[in-house]
Amino acid sequence: MEWEIVIGIETHVQLKTNSKIFSGASTSFGKEPNANACLVSLAYPGVLPVLNEEAVNCAIKFGLAVDAKITEHSIFARKNYFYPDLPKGYQISQLDLPVVGEGSLIITVGDENKSIRILRAHLEEDAGKSVHGIRRGKIGNRS
């Protein structure tokens, strides 16, 4: 029996959009706690997420740059988590039918070109960030 070594890397990136992927809430970093949360982010009853067209355009541009298959139809699903930084208890994400399918990235190592296979690039909302400072009176302060 022969074995083939396959190494996978999952990389997360934050898209440079003005608002979140499923709401109009700001994506600016460094604001006061919960300043970028809105009723959609908190999953209040009766609110519905609306997909950010700018985020989809970013995914398509990436897909074209790595010569990937761009799907005509994609699907989002809810992944349930119980994390302290995920107030609504689920994350909207893609897996089965992402915006960007198989592609590849050519890199040069020494004098040799190598092709790095990309399985998919999918969109998902950031589950949230628990950011703790070291200022007196804030969580994380040890004194």
Side-chain angles (χ1 to χ4, degrees):
M1 176 184 330
E2 291 192 31
W3 296 85
E4 177 187 5
I5 297 174
V6 177
I7 299 171
I9 298 174
E10 180 176 324
T11 305
H12 291 243
V13 297
Q14 181 173 340
L15 300 177
K16 194 171 184 176
T17 58
N18 294 324
S19 61
K20 295 183 179 184
I21 189 169
F22 291 108
S23 78
S26 174
T27 56
S28 62
F29 184 75
K31 291 202 172 187
E32 287 298 311
N34 301 319
N36 292 346
C38 68
L39 298 179
V40 175
S41 305
L42 301 172
Y44 268 54
V47 298
L48 294 173
V50 176
L51 183 57
N52 182 336
E53 185 177 347
E54 189 179 358
V56 176
N57 287 337
C58 287
I60 291 170
K61 286 177 188 176
F62 170 76
L64 294 173
V66 296
D67 197 28
K69 298 175 186 170
I70 308 299
T71 58
E72 191 172 327
H73 302 283
S74 62
I75 296 174
F76 287 90
R78 288 182 176 185
K79 296 188 325 187
N80 294 300
Y81 293 106
F82 297 103
Y83 291 156
D85 55 1
L86 185 60
K88 59 188 179 182
Y90 63 85
Q91 176 187 37
I92 302 173
S93 181
Q94 294 185 312
L95 181 63
D96 295 330
L97 200 55
V99 172
V100 178
E102 292 183 11
S104 63
L105 179 66
I106 307 299
I107 63 169
T108 303
V109 179
D111 294 333
E112 186 180 352
N113 287 338
K114 296 185 180 245
S115 177
I116 307 298
R117 186 173 73 103
I118 296 172
L119 178 62
R120 70 174 166 271
H122 67 265
L123 293 169
E124 68 182 9
E125 65 183 328
D126 188 354
K129 292 183 180 90
S130 292
V131 179
H132 304 289
I134 56 171
R135 294 179 290 165
R136 185 173 303 282
K138 300 287 184 182
I139 294 174
N141 184 4
R142 294 180 182 246
S143 55

Coordinates of all heavy atoms in Angstrom, one line a residue, residues 88-123:
K88 N -26.4 34.8 18.8 CA -27.6 34.2 18.3 C -27.6 32.7 18.3 O -28.6 32.1 18.0 CB -27.9 34.8 16.9 CG -26.9 34.6 15.9 CD -27.3 35.3 14.6 CE -26.2 35.2 13.5 NZ -26.5 35.9 12.4
G89 N -26.4 32.1 18.6 CA -26.3 30.7 18.7 C -26.1 29.9 17.4 O -26.0 28.7 17.4
Y90 N -26.0 30.7 16.3 CA -25.7 30.0 15.0 C -24.9 31.0 14.1 O -24.9 32.2 14.3 CB -27.0 29.5 14.3 CG -27.9 30.7 13.9 CD1 -27.7 31.4 12.7 CD2 -29.0 31.0 14.7 CE1 -28.6 32.4 12.3 CE2 -29.8 32.1 14.3 CZ -29.6 32.7 13.2 OH -30.5 33.7 12.8
Q91 N -24.2 30.4 13.1 CA -23.4 31.1 12.2 C -23.9 30.8 10.8 O -24.2 29.6 10.5 CB -22.0 30.8 12.3 CG -21.0 31.4 11.3 CD -19.6 30.8 11.4 OE1 -19.4 29.7 11.6 NE2 -18.7 31.7 11.2
I92 N -24.1 31.8 9.9 CA -24.6 31.5 8.6 C -23.3 31.3 7.7 O -22.4 32.2 7.7 CB -25.4 32.7 8.0 CG1 -26.6 32.9 8.9 CG2 -25.8 32.4 6.6 CD1 -27.4 34.2 8.5
S93 N -23.2 30.2 7.1 CA -22.0 29.8 6.4 C -22.3 29.0 5.1 O -23.5 28.5 4.9 CB -21.1 28.9 7.3 OG -19.9 28.6 6.7
Q94 N -21.3 28.8 4.3 CA -21.5 27.9 3.1 C -20.6 26.7 3.2 O -19.5 26.8 3.9 CB -21.0 28.6 1.8 CG -21.9 29.8 1.5 CD -21.5 30.4 0.1 OE1 -20.3 30.7 -0.1 NE2 -22.5 30.7 -0.7
L95 N -21.0 25.6 2.7 CA -20.1 24.4 2.6 C -20.4 23.6 1.4 O -19.6 23.5 0.5 CB -20.3 23.5 3.9 CG -19.4 22.3 3.9 CD1 -17.9 22.6 3.9 CD2 -19.7 21.4 5.0
D96 N -21.7 23.1 1.3 CA -22.0 22.3 0.2 C -21.9 22.9 -1.2 O -21.5 22.3 -2.2 CB -23.4 21.7 0.4 CG -23.5 20.8 1.6 OD1 -22.5 20.2 1.9 OD2 -24.6 20.7 2.2
L97 N -22.3 24.1 -1.3 CA -22.3 24.8 -2.6 C -21.8 26.2 -2.5 O -22.6 27.2 -2.5 CB -23.8 24.8 -3.2 CG -23.9 25.0 -4.7 CD1 -23.1 24.0 -5.5 CD2 -25.4 24.9 -5.1
P98 N -20.5 26.4 -2.3 CA -19.9 27.7 -2.1 C -19.9 28.6 -3.4 O -20.1 28.0 -4.5 CB -18.5 27.4 -1.6 CG -18.2 26.1 -2.3 CD -19.5 25.4 -2.4
V99 N -19.7 29.9 -3.2 CA -19.6 30.8 -4.4 C -18.4 30.4 -5.3 O -18.6 30.4 -6.5 CB -19.4 32.2 -3.9 CG1 -19.1 33.2 -5.1 CG2 -20.6 32.7 -3.1
V100 N -17.3 30.0 -4.7 CA -16.1 29.7 -5.5 C -15.8 28.2 -5.3 O -15.6 27.7 -4.2 CB -14.9 30.6 -5.0 CG1 -13.6 30.2 -5.7 CG2 -15.2 32.1 -5.1
G101 N -15.7 27.6 -6.5 CA -15.3 26.2 -6.5 C -13.8 26.0 -6.7 O -13.0 26.8 -6.4
E102 N -13.4 24.8 -7.2 CA -12.0 24.5 -7.4 C -11.3 25.4 -8.3 O -11.8 25.9 -9.3 CB -11.9 23.1 -8.0 CG -12.4 22.0 -7.1 CD -12.2 20.6 -7.6 OE1 -11.5 20.4 -8.7 OE2 -12.8 19.6 -7.0
G103 N -10.1 25.7 -7.8 CA -9.2 26.6 -8.6 C -7.7 26.3 -8.2 O -7.5 25.3 -7.5
S104 N -6.8 27.1 -8.5 CA -5.4 26.9 -8.2 C -4.6 28.2 -8.2 O -5.0 29.2 -8.8 CB -4.8 25.9 -9.1 OG -4.7 26.4 -10.4
L105 N -3.6 28.2 -7.4 CA -2.7 29.3 -7.3 C -1.3 28.9 -7.7 O -0.8 27.8 -7.1 CB -2.7 29.8 -5.8 CG -1.8 31.0 -5.5 CD1 -2.3 32.3 -6.2 CD2 -1.8 31.3 -4.0
I106 N -0.7 29.5 -8.6 CA 0.7 29.2 -9.0 C 1.7 30.0 -8.2 O 1.6 31.2 -8.1 CB 0.9 29.5 -10.5 CG1 -0.2 28.8 -11.4 CG2 2.3 29.0 -10.9 CD1 -0.2 27.3 -11.3
I107 N 2.6 29.3 -7.5 CA 3.7 30.0 -6.8 C 5.0 29.5 -7.3 O 5.1 28.5 -7.9 CB 3.6 29.6 -5.2 CG1 3.8 28.1 -5.0 CG2 2.3 30.1 -4.7 CD1 4.0 27.8 -3.5
T108 N 6.0 30.4 -7.1 CA 7.4 30.0 -7.6 C 8.2 29.7 -6.4 O 8.3 30.5 -5.4 CB 8.0 31.2 -8.4 OG1 7.1 31.5 -9.5 CG2 9.3 30.9 -8.9
V109 N 8.8 28.6 -6.4 CA 9.7 28.1 -5.3 C 11.1 27.9 -6.0 O 11.3 27.0 -6.8 CB 9.2 26.8 -4.6 CG1 10.2 26.4 -3.5 CG2 7.8 27.0 -4.1
G110 N 12.0 28.8 -5.7 CA 13.3 28.7 -6.4 C 13.1 29.0 -7.8 O 12.6 30.1 -8.2
D111 N 13.4 28.1 -8.7 CA 13.3 28.3 -10.1 C 12.0 27.5 -10.6 O 11.8 27.4 -11.8 CB 14.5 27.8 -10.9 CG 15.7 28.6 -10.6 OD1 15.5 29.8 -10.3 OD2 16.8 28.1 -10.7
E112 N 11.3 26.9 -9.7 CA 10.2 26.0 -10.1 C 8.8 26.6 -9.8 O 8.6 27.1 -8.7 CB 10.4 24.6 -9.4 CG 9.4 23.6 -9.8 CD 9.7 22.3 -9.0 OE1 10.7 22.2 -8.2 OE2 8.9 21.4 -9.1
N113 N 7.9 26.5 -10.7 CA 6.5 26.9 -10.5 C 5.8 25.7 -9.9 O 5.9 24.6 -10.4 CB 5.9 27.4 -11.8 CG 6.4 28.7 -12.2 OD1 6.9 29.5 -11.4 ND2 6.2 29.0 -13.5
K114 N 5.0 25.9 -8.9 CA 4.2 24.9 -8.3 C 2.7 25.4 -8.2 O 2.5 26.5 -8.0 CB 4.6 24.6 -6.9 CG 6.0 24.0 -6.8 CD 6.4 23.6 -5.4 CE 7.8 23.0 -5.4 NZ 7.9 21.6 -5.1
S115 N 1.8 24.4 -8.4 CA 0.4 24.7 -8.4 C -0.2 24.3 -7.1 O -0.1 23.1 -6.7 CB -0.3 24.0 -9.6 OG -1.7 24.2 -9.5
I116 N -0.8 25.2 -6.4 CA -1.5 24.9 -5.1 C -3.0 24.8 -5.4 O -3.6 25.8 -5.9 CB -1.2 26.1 -4.1 CG1 0.3 26.3 -3.9 CG2 -1.9 25.7 -2.8 CD1 1.1 25.2 -3.4
R117 N -3.5 23.7 -5.2 CA -4.9 23.4 -5.4 C -5.8 24.1 -4.4 O -5.5 24.1 -3.2 CB -5.2 21.9 -5.4 CG -6.6 21.6 -5.9 CD -6.8 20.1 -6.0 NE -6.8 19.4 -4.7 CZ -7.9 19.0 -4.1 NH1 -9.1 19.1 -4.7 NH2 -7.9 18.4 -3.0
I118 N -6.8 24.8 -4.8 CA -7.8 25.4 -3.9 C -9.1 24.6 -4.1 O -9.7 24.5 -5.2 CB -8.0 26.9 -4.3 CG1 -6.7 27.6 -4.0 CG2 -9.1 27.5 -3.4 CD1 -6.7 29.1 -4.5
L119 N -9.6 24.0 -3.0 CA -10.8 23.2 -3.0 C -12.0 24.1 -3.2 O -12.9 23.9 -4.0 CB -10.9 22.4 -1.8 CG -12.1 21.5 -1.6 CD1 -12.2 20.5 -2.8 CD2 -12.1 20.8 -0.3
R120 N -12.1 25.2 -2.4 CA -13.2 26.1 -2.4 C -12.9 27.3 -1.6 O -12.0 27.3 -0.8 CB -14.5 25.4 -1.9 CG -14.5 25.2 -0.4 CD -15.8 24.7 0.1 NE -15.7 24.2 1.5 CZ -15.3 23.0 1.8 NH1 -15.2 22.1 0.8 NH2 -15.2 22.6 3.0
A121 N -13.7 28.4 -1.9 CA -13.6 29.6 -1.0 C -15.1 29.9 -0.8 O -15.9 30.1 -1.7 CB -12.9 30.7 -1.7
H122 N -15.4 29.9 0.5 CA -16.8 30.1 0.8 C -17.0 31.3 1.7 O -16.1 31.7 2.4 CB -17.5 28.9 1.4 CG -17.0 28.5 2.8 ND1 -16.0 27.6 2.9 CD2 -17.3 28.9 4.0 CE1 -15.8 27.4 4.2 NE2 -16.6 28.3 4.9
L123 N -18.2 31.9 1.7 CA -18.5 33.1 2.5 C -19.2 32.6 3.8 O -20.0 31.6 3.8 CB -19.5 34.0 1.7 CG -18.9 34.7 0.5 CD1 -20.0 35.4 -0.3 CD2 -17.9 35.7 0.9

